[in-house]
mmCIF file of all heavy atoms in Angstrom:
data_model
loop_
_atom_site.group_PDB
_atom_site.id
_atom_site.type_symbol
_atom_site.label_atom_id
_atom_site.label_comp_id
_atom_site.label_asym_id
_atom_site.label_seq_id
_atom_site.Cartn_x
_atom_site.Cartn_y
_atom_site.Cartn_z
ATOM 1 N N ARG A 1 94.971 121.249 79.011
ATOM 2 C CA ARG A 1 95.705 122.327 78.325
ATOM 3 C C ARG A 1 97.201 122.241 78.600
ATOM 4 O O ARG A 1 98.003 122.776 77.826
ATOM 5 C CB ARG A 1 95.180 123.695 78.764
ATOM 6 C CG ARG A 1 93.796 124.008 78.223
ATOM 7 C CD ARG A 1 93.289 125.309 78.808
ATOM 8 N NE ARG A 1 94.065 126.454 78.356
ATOM 9 C CZ ARG A 1 93.779 127.183 77.281
ATOM 10 N NH1 ARG A 1 92.728 126.891 76.556
ATOM 11 N NH2 ARG A 1 94.529 128.218 76.954
ATOM 12 N N SER A 2 97.586 121.614 79.706
ATOM 13 C CA SER A 2 99.012 121.596 80.043
ATOM 14 C C SER A 2 99.436 120.304 80.705
ATOM 15 O O SER A 2 100.304 119.594 80.203
ATOM 16 C CB SER A 2 99.356 122.791 80.945
ATOM 17 O OG SER A 2 98.539 122.793 82.094
ATOM 18 N N ARG A 3 98.833 119.934 81.821
ATOM 19 C CA ARG A 3 99.324 118.810 82.622
ATOM 20 C C ARG A 3 99.002 117.446 82.016
ATOM 21 O O ARG A 3 99.682 116.462 82.298
ATOM 22 C CB ARG A 3 98.758 118.879 84.038
ATOM 23 C CG ARG A 3 99.165 120.130 84.827
ATOM 24 C CD ARG A 3 98.438 120.188 86.145
ATOM 25 N NE ARG A 3 98.764 119.053 86.987
ATOM 26 C CZ ARG A 3 97.991 118.639 87.998
ATOM 27 N NH1 ARG A 3 96.856 119.248 88.258
ATOM 28 N NH2 ARG A 3 98.376 117.602 88.720
ATOM 29 N N LEU A 4 97.961 117.355 81.201
ATOM 30 C CA LEU A 4 97.524 116.081 80.642
ATOM 31 C C LEU A 4 97.502 116.183 79.122
ATOM 32 O O LEU A 4 96.793 117.009 78.560
ATOM 33 C CB LEU A 4 96.129 115.730 81.177
ATOM 34 C CG LEU A 4 95.594 114.313 80.936
ATOM 35 C CD1 LEU A 4 94.472 114.017 81.933
ATOM 36 C CD2 LEU A 4 95.069 114.126 79.526
ATOM 37 N N ALA A 5 98.302 115.363 78.463
ATOM 38 C CA ALA A 5 98.336 115.329 77.001
ATOM 39 C C ALA A 5 97.741 114.001 76.540
ATOM 40 O O ALA A 5 97.838 112.982 77.241
ATOM 41 C CB ALA A 5 99.766 115.461 76.497
ATOM 42 N N ILE A 6 97.134 114.021 75.360
ATOM 43 C CA ILE A 6 96.499 112.797 74.865
ATOM 44 C C ILE A 6 96.640 112.704 73.351
ATOM 45 O O ILE A 6 96.540 113.712 72.641
ATOM 46 C CB ILE A 6 95.002 112.739 75.285
ATOM 47 C CG1 ILE A 6 94.354 111.432 74.798
ATOM 48 C CG2 ILE A 6 94.234 113.972 74.818
ATOM 49 C CD1 ILE A 6 92.990 111.172 75.390
ATOM 50 N N VAL A 7 96.905 111.478 72.887
ATOM 51 C CA VAL A 7 96.790 111.153 71.476
ATOM 52 C C VAL A 7 95.600 110.211 71.354
ATOM 53 O O VAL A 7 95.713 109.016 71.631
ATOM 54 C CB VAL A 7 98.064 110.487 70.920
ATOM 55 C CG1 VAL A 7 97.873 110.092 69.457
ATOM 56 C CG2 VAL A 7 99.261 111.427 71.049
ATOM 57 N N PRO A 8 94.418 110.736 71.010
ATOM 58 C CA PRO A 8 93.230 109.888 70.942
ATOM 59 C C PRO A 8 93.256 109.005 69.705
ATOM 60 O O PRO A 8 93.919 109.321 68.707
ATOM 61 C CB PRO A 8 92.078 110.899 70.888
ATOM 62 C CG PRO A 8 92.681 112.096 70.231
ATOM 63 C CD PRO A 8 94.132 112.130 70.671
ATOM 64 N N GLN A 9 92.531 107.918 69.772
ATOM 65 C CA GLN A 9 92.507 106.999 68.632
ATOM 66 C C GLN A 9 91.934 107.689 67.392
ATOM 67 O O GLN A 9 92.376 107.424 66.268
ATOM 68 C CB GLN A 9 91.689 105.754 68.969
ATOM 69 C CG GLN A 9 91.853 104.645 67.972
ATOM 70 C CD GLN A 9 91.165 103.365 68.406
ATOM 71 O OE1 GLN A 9 90.504 102.710 67.604
ATOM 72 N NE2 GLN A 9 91.279 103.003 69.665
ATOM 73 N N GLN A 10 90.981 108.600 67.583
ATOM 74 C CA GLN A 10 90.372 109.301 66.441
ATOM 75 C C GLN A 10 91.211 110.493 65.997
ATOM 76 O O GLN A 10 90.863 111.169 65.021
ATOM 77 C CB GLN A 10 88.939 109.733 66.758
ATOM 78 C CG GLN A 10 88.813 110.783 67.835
ATOM 79 C CD GLN A 10 88.721 110.217 69.244
ATOM 80 O OE1 GLN A 10 89.193 109.094 69.498
ATOM 81 N NE2 GLN A 10 88.129 110.965 70.149
ATOM 82 N N LEU A 11 92.284 110.817 66.708
ATOM 83 C CA LEU A 11 93.317 111.807 66.378
ATOM 84 C C LEU A 11 92.870 113.256 66.527
ATOM 85 O O LEU A 11 93.646 114.095 66.973
ATOM 86 C CB LEU A 11 93.890 111.551 64.983
ATOM 87 C CG LEU A 11 94.496 110.145 64.794
ATOM 88 C CD1 LEU A 11 94.941 109.955 63.346
ATOM 89 C CD2 LEU A 11 95.650 109.923 65.753
ATOM 90 N N ASP A 12 91.641 113.605 66.127
ATOM 91 C CA ASP A 12 91.093 114.939 66.363
ATOM 92 C C ASP A 12 91.926 116.069 65.754
ATOM 93 O O ASP A 12 92.071 117.134 66.343
ATOM 94 C CB ASP A 12 90.922 115.197 67.871
ATOM 95 C CG ASP A 12 89.826 114.351 68.490
ATOM 96 O OD1 ASP A 12 88.993 113.816 67.728
ATOM 97 O OD2 ASP A 12 89.806 114.205 69.728
ATOM 98 N N LEU A 13 92.456 115.844 64.579
ATOM 99 C CA LEU A 13 93.138 116.936 63.856
ATOM 100 C C LEU A 13 92.092 117.810 63.167
ATOM 101 O O LEU A 13 91.065 117.326 62.714
ATOM 102 C CB LEU A 13 94.109 116.370 62.827
ATOM 103 C CG LEU A 13 95.273 115.529 63.388
ATOM 104 C CD1 LEU A 13 96.068 114.934 62.233
ATOM 105 C CD2 LEU A 13 96.165 116.348 64.293
ATOM 106 N N ILE A 14 92.356 119.110 63.117
ATOM 107 C CA ILE A 14 91.449 120.045 62.453
ATOM 108 C C ILE A 14 91.682 119.950 60.953
ATOM 109 O O ILE A 14 92.792 120.147 60.463
ATOM 110 C CB ILE A 14 91.683 121.475 62.960
ATOM 111 C CG1 ILE A 14 91.425 121.524 64.485
ATOM 112 C CG2 ILE A 14 90.752 122.457 62.243
ATOM 113 C CD1 ILE A 14 91.817 122.842 65.116
ATOM 114 N N ALA A 15 90.605 119.667 60.207
ATOM 115 C CA ALA A 15 90.736 119.279 58.804
ATOM 116 C C ALA A 15 91.180 120.397 57.884
ATOM 117 O O ALA A 15 91.875 120.147 56.881
ATOM 118 C CB ALA A 15 89.410 118.690 58.308
ATOM 119 N N ASP A 16 90.795 121.646 58.182
ATOM 120 C CA ASP A 16 91.001 122.716 57.198
ATOM 121 C C ASP A 16 92.190 123.602 57.492
ATOM 122 O O ASP A 16 92.312 124.708 56.943
ATOM 123 C CB ASP A 16 89.734 123.555 57.059
ATOM 124 C CG ASP A 16 89.294 124.180 58.373
ATOM 125 O OD1 ASP A 16 89.910 123.856 59.418
ATOM 126 O OD2 ASP A 16 88.354 124.992 58.356
ATOM 127 N N ILE A 17 93.101 123.166 58.363
ATOM 128 C CA ILE A 17 94.372 123.875 58.558
ATOM 129 C C ILE A 17 95.503 122.862 58.402
ATOM 130 O O ILE A 17 95.291 121.651 58.500
ATOM 131 C CB ILE A 17 94.454 124.587 59.920
ATOM 132 C CG1 ILE A 17 94.390 123.577 61.078
ATOM 133 C CG2 ILE A 17 93.350 125.621 60.048
ATOM 134 C CD1 ILE A 17 94.603 124.222 62.454
ATOM 135 N N SER A 18 96.693 123.346 58.143
ATOM 136 C CA SER A 18 97.815 122.443 57.860
ATOM 137 C C SER A 18 98.222 121.633 59.079
ATOM 138 O O SER A 18 97.851 121.948 60.217
ATOM 139 C CB SER A 18 99.019 123.245 57.364
ATOM 140 O OG SER A 18 99.603 123.969 58.442
ATOM 141 N N CYS A 19 98.999 120.605 58.822
ATOM 142 C CA CYS A 19 99.502 119.762 59.917
ATOM 143 C C CYS A 19 100.339 120.582 60.892
ATOM 144 O O CYS A 19 100.207 120.435 62.105
ATOM 145 C CB CYS A 19 100.327 118.610 59.350
ATOM 146 S SG CYS A 19 99.341 117.402 58.434
ATOM 147 N N MET A 20 101.191 121.448 60.380
ATOM 148 C CA MET A 20 101.990 122.299 61.260
ATOM 149 C C MET A 20 101.090 123.218 62.072
ATOM 150 O O MET A 20 101.313 123.420 63.281
ATOM 151 C CB MET A 20 102.997 123.113 60.457
ATOM 152 C CG MET A 20 103.789 124.123 61.292
ATOM 153 S SD MET A 20 104.769 123.363 62.633
ATOM 154 C CE MET A 20 106.277 122.937 61.738
ATOM 155 N N GLU A 21 100.075 123.791 61.473
ATOM 156 C CA GLU A 21 99.163 124.681 62.206
ATOM 157 C C GLU A 21 98.424 123.924 63.291
ATOM 158 O O GLU A 21 98.154 124.475 64.366
ATOM 159 C CB GLU A 21 98.194 125.344 61.228
ATOM 160 C CG GLU A 21 98.847 126.395 60.342
ATOM 161 C CD GLU A 21 97.932 126.891 59.240
ATOM 162 O OE1 GLU A 21 97.188 126.069 58.670
ATOM 163 O OE2 GLU A 21 97.966 128.095 58.947
ATOM 164 N N ASN A 22 98.080 122.671 63.044
ATOM 165 C CA ASN A 22 97.467 121.844 64.083
ATOM 166 C C ASN A 22 98.381 121.735 65.296
ATOM 167 O O ASN A 22 97.937 121.838 66.433
ATOM 168 C CB ASN A 22 97.156 120.440 63.539
ATOM 169 C CG ASN A 22 95.755 120.308 62.984
ATOM 170 O OD1 ASN A 22 94.807 120.048 63.708
ATOM 171 N ND2 ASN A 22 95.631 120.510 61.672
ATOM 172 N N VAL A 23 99.653 121.531 65.048
ATOM 173 C CA VAL A 23 100.625 121.413 66.131
ATOM 174 C C VAL A 23 100.812 122.754 66.824
ATOM 175 O O VAL A 23 100.827 122.837 68.063
ATOM 176 C CB VAL A 23 101.967 120.881 65.595
ATOM 177 C CG1 VAL A 23 103.030 120.898 66.689
ATOM 178 C CG2 VAL A 23 101.800 119.469 65.033
ATOM 179 N N LEU A 24 100.922 123.825 66.047
ATOM 180 C CA LEU A 24 101.174 125.143 66.614
ATOM 181 C C LEU A 24 100.013 125.622 67.487
ATOM 182 O O LEU A 24 100.232 126.341 68.476
ATOM 183 C CB LEU A 24 101.457 126.153 65.507
ATOM 184 C CG LEU A 24 102.772 125.981 64.761
ATOM 185 C CD1 LEU A 24 102.884 126.994 63.624
ATOM 186 C CD2 LEU A 24 103.969 126.111 65.706
ATOM 187 N N LEU A 25 98.789 125.246 67.139
ATOM 188 C CA LEU A 25 97.642 125.637 67.949
ATOM 189 C C LEU A 25 97.803 125.148 69.380
ATOM 190 O O LEU A 25 97.505 125.877 70.342
ATOM 191 C CB LEU A 25 96.343 125.076 67.349
ATOM 192 C CG LEU A 25 95.644 125.907 66.289
ATOM 193 C CD1 LEU A 25 94.392 125.187 65.812
ATOM 194 C CD2 LEU A 25 95.278 127.285 66.809
ATOM 195 N N ASN A 26 98.251 123.915 69.547
ATOM 196 C CA ASN A 26 98.473 123.383 70.891
ATOM 197 C C ASN A 26 99.714 123.998 71.519
ATOM 198 O O ASN A 26 99.745 124.303 72.717
ATOM 199 C CB ASN A 26 98.607 121.857 70.841
ATOM 200 C CG ASN A 26 98.587 121.229 72.216
ATOM 201 O OD1 ASN A 26 97.838 121.638 73.094
ATOM 202 N ND2 ASN A 26 99.419 120.219 72.422
ATOM 203 N N ASN A 27 100.733 124.196 70.704
ATOM 204 C CA ASN A 27 101.992 124.736 71.228
ATOM 205 C C ASN A 27 101.810 126.145 71.795
ATOM 206 O O ASN A 27 102.377 126.490 72.838
ATOM 207 C CB ASN A 27 103.023 124.746 70.107
ATOM 208 C CG ASN A 27 104.396 125.187 70.568
ATOM 209 O OD1 ASN A 27 104.990 124.581 71.461
ATOM 210 N ND2 ASN A 27 104.917 126.245 69.959
ATOM 211 N N GLU A 28 101.009 126.966 71.136
ATOM 212 C CA GLU A 28 100.900 128.371 71.493
ATOM 213 C C GLU A 28 100.195 128.608 72.833
ATOM 214 O O GLU A 28 100.339 129.680 73.424
ATOM 215 C CB GLU A 28 100.183 129.138 70.378
ATOM 216 C CG GLU A 28 101.042 129.291 69.121
ATOM 217 C CD GLU A 28 100.253 129.756 67.917
ATOM 218 O OE1 GLU A 28 99.020 129.916 68.032
ATOM 219 O OE2 GLU A 28 100.873 129.938 66.855
ATOM 220 N N ILE A 29 99.426 127.630 73.307
ATOM 221 C CA ILE A 29 98.719 127.820 74.588
ATOM 222 C C ILE A 29 99.511 127.256 75.767
ATOM 223 O O ILE A 29 99.050 127.315 76.902
ATOM 224 C CB ILE A 29 97.321 127.179 74.562
ATOM 225 C CG1 ILE A 29 97.414 125.648 74.397
ATOM 226 C CG2 ILE A 29 96.459 127.799 73.479
ATOM 227 C CD1 ILE A 29 96.075 124.939 74.539
ATOM 228 N N GLN A 30 100.733 126.748 75.499
ATOM 229 C CA GLN A 30 101.535 126.176 76.569
ATOM 230 C C GLN A 30 102.296 127.265 77.322
ATOM 231 O O GLN A 30 102.661 128.291 76.753
ATOM 232 C CB GLN A 30 102.538 125.159 75.992
ATOM 233 C CG GLN A 30 101.888 123.999 75.245
ATOM 234 C CD GLN A 30 100.821 123.304 76.057
ATOM 235 O OE1 GLN A 30 101.016 122.993 77.247
ATOM 236 N NE2 GLN A 30 99.677 123.056 75.433
ATOM 237 N N PRO A 31 102.528 127.041 78.610
ATOM 238 C CA PRO A 31 103.298 128.017 79.399
ATOM 239 C C PRO A 31 104.694 128.274 78.825
ATOM 240 O O PRO A 31 105.191 129.391 78.860
ATOM 241 C CB PRO A 31 103.371 127.369 80.787
ATOM 242 C CG PRO A 31 102.219 126.431 80.847
ATOM 243 C CD PRO A 31 102.041 125.927 79.441
ATOM 244 N N LYS A 32 105.306 127.210 78.284
ATOM 245 C CA LYS A 32 106.621 127.342 77.675
ATOM 246 C C LYS A 32 106.583 126.708 76.277
ATOM 247 O O LYS A 32 107.000 125.563 76.082
ATOM 248 C CB LYS A 32 107.693 126.652 78.536
ATOM 249 C CG LYS A 32 107.897 127.302 79.898
ATOM 250 C CD LYS A 32 108.993 126.606 80.682
ATOM 251 C CE LYS A 32 109.222 127.280 82.025
ATOM 252 N NZ LYS A 32 110.293 126.599 82.805
ATOM 253 N N PRO A 33 106.071 127.448 75.305
ATOM 254 C CA PRO A 33 105.956 126.876 73.960
ATOM 255 C C PRO A 33 107.319 126.568 73.340
ATOM 256 O O PRO A 33 108.320 127.215 73.651
ATOM 257 C CB PRO A 33 105.229 127.968 73.170
ATOM 258 C CG PRO A 33 105.449 129.225 73.942
ATOM 259 C CD PRO A 33 105.558 128.827 75.375
ATOM 260 N N LEU A 34 107.330 125.551 72.491
ATOM 261 C CA LEU A 34 108.552 125.200 71.779
ATOM 262 C C LEU A 34 108.794 126.197 70.645
ATOM 263 O O LEU A 34 107.866 126.833 70.148
ATOM 264 C CB LEU A 34 108.429 123.788 71.196
ATOM 265 C CG LEU A 34 108.206 122.639 72.171
ATOM 266 C CD1 LEU A 34 108.077 121.326 71.406
ATOM 267 C CD2 LEU A 34 109.325 122.549 73.201
ATOM 268 N N TYR A 35 110.055 126.310 70.241
ATOM 269 C CA TYR A 35 110.377 127.085 69.050
ATOM 270 C C TYR A 35 109.965 126.271 67.814
ATOM 271 O O TYR A 35 109.983 125.026 67.843
ATOM 272 C CB TYR A 35 111.866 127.401 68.986
ATOM 273 C CG TYR A 35 112.333 128.362 70.069
ATOM 274 C CD1 TYR A 35 113.114 127.900 71.132
ATOM 275 C CD2 TYR A 35 111.984 129.711 70.019
ATOM 276 C CE1 TYR A 35 113.540 128.769 72.123
ATOM 277 C CE2 TYR A 35 112.413 130.585 71.009
ATOM 278 C CZ TYR A 35 113.182 130.114 72.053
ATOM 279 O OH TYR A 35 113.600 130.972 73.037
ATOM 280 N N GLN A 36 109.627 126.961 66.741
ATOM 281 C CA GLN A 36 109.163 126.251 65.565
ATOM 282 C C GLN A 36 110.230 125.294 65.014
ATOM 283 O O GLN A 36 109.902 124.208 64.524
ATOM 284 C CB GLN A 36 108.713 127.220 64.473
ATOM 285 C CG GLN A 36 108.090 126.507 63.273
ATOM 286 C CD GLN A 36 107.190 127.405 62.443
ATOM 287 O OE1 GLN A 36 106.632 128.356 62.944
ATOM 288 N NE2 GLN A 36 107.066 127.082 61.154
ATOM 289 N N HIS A 37 111.513 125.682 65.130
ATOM 290 C CA HIS A 37 112.560 124.787 64.600
ATOM 291 C C HIS A 37 112.623 123.483 65.411
ATOM 292 O O HIS A 37 112.999 122.429 64.875
ATOM 293 C CB HIS A 37 113.916 125.490 64.575
ATOM 294 C CG HIS A 37 114.542 125.692 65.926
ATOM 295 N ND1 HIS A 37 115.281 124.721 66.571
ATOM 296 C CD2 HIS A 37 114.541 126.767 66.755
ATOM 297 C CE1 HIS A 37 115.704 125.178 67.731
ATOM 298 N NE2 HIS A 37 115.271 126.424 67.871
ATOM 299 N N GLN A 38 112.224 123.522 66.699
ATOM 300 C CA GLN A 38 112.174 122.304 67.502
ATOM 301 C C GLN A 38 111.048 121.388 67.002
ATOM 302 O O GLN A 38 111.211 120.167 66.948
ATOM 303 C CB GLN A 38 111.955 122.647 68.975
ATOM 304 C CG GLN A 38 113.117 123.370 69.624
ATOM 305 C CD GLN A 38 112.801 123.814 71.041
ATOM 306 O OE1 GLN A 38 111.926 124.645 71.263
ATOM 307 N NE2 GLN A 38 113.500 123.234 72.013
ATOM 308 N N ILE A 39 109.937 121.988 66.641
ATOM 309 C CA ILE A 39 108.812 121.212 66.116
ATOM 310 C C ILE A 39 109.165 120.627 64.755
ATOM 311 O O ILE A 39 108.891 119.457 64.464
ATOM 312 C CB ILE A 39 107.553 122.090 66.035
ATOM 313 C CG1 ILE A 39 107.141 122.547 67.437
ATOM 314 C CG2 ILE A 39 106.412 121.336 65.359
ATOM 315 C CD1 ILE A 39 106.017 123.553 67.456
ATOM 316 N N GLU A 40 109.822 121.420 63.921
ATOM 317 C CA GLU A 40 110.238 120.928 62.610
ATOM 318 C C GLU A 40 111.205 119.767 62.758
ATOM 319 O O GLU A 40 111.169 118.803 61.963
ATOM 320 C CB GLU A 40 110.885 122.057 61.810
ATOM 321 C CG GLU A 40 109.895 123.135 61.374
ATOM 322 C CD GLU A 40 110.585 124.319 60.724
ATOM 323 O OE1 GLU A 40 111.837 124.370 60.731
ATOM 324 O OE2 GLU A 40 109.867 125.205 60.214
#
């Protein structure tokens, strides 16, 4: 959830939400989430 990040070969993106929402799901559980403009 925080100390170990991974980009798996199968990618594991959630199919029925947008690419940005996929990113935000991970961002929102971080102790210090990024601002959306940083992600953009």
Side-chain angles (χ1 to χ4, degrees):
R1 289 174 67 92
S2 56
R3 298 174 61 201
L4 192 160
I6 182 169
V7 177
Q9 192 173 137
Q10 66 272 24
L11 302 176
D12 291 342
L13 297 175
I14 300 172
D16 58 353
I17 63 174
S18 72
C19 291
M20 175 60 85
E21 289 171 321
N22 267 275
V23 174
L24 291 176
L25 272 180
N26 190 40
N27 185 59
E28 289 167 357
I29 64 173
Q30 301 308 314
K32 295 182 179 180
L34 300 179
Y35 292 108
Q36 185 159 333
H37 73 84
Q38 293 174 295
I39 297 173
E40 291 174 353

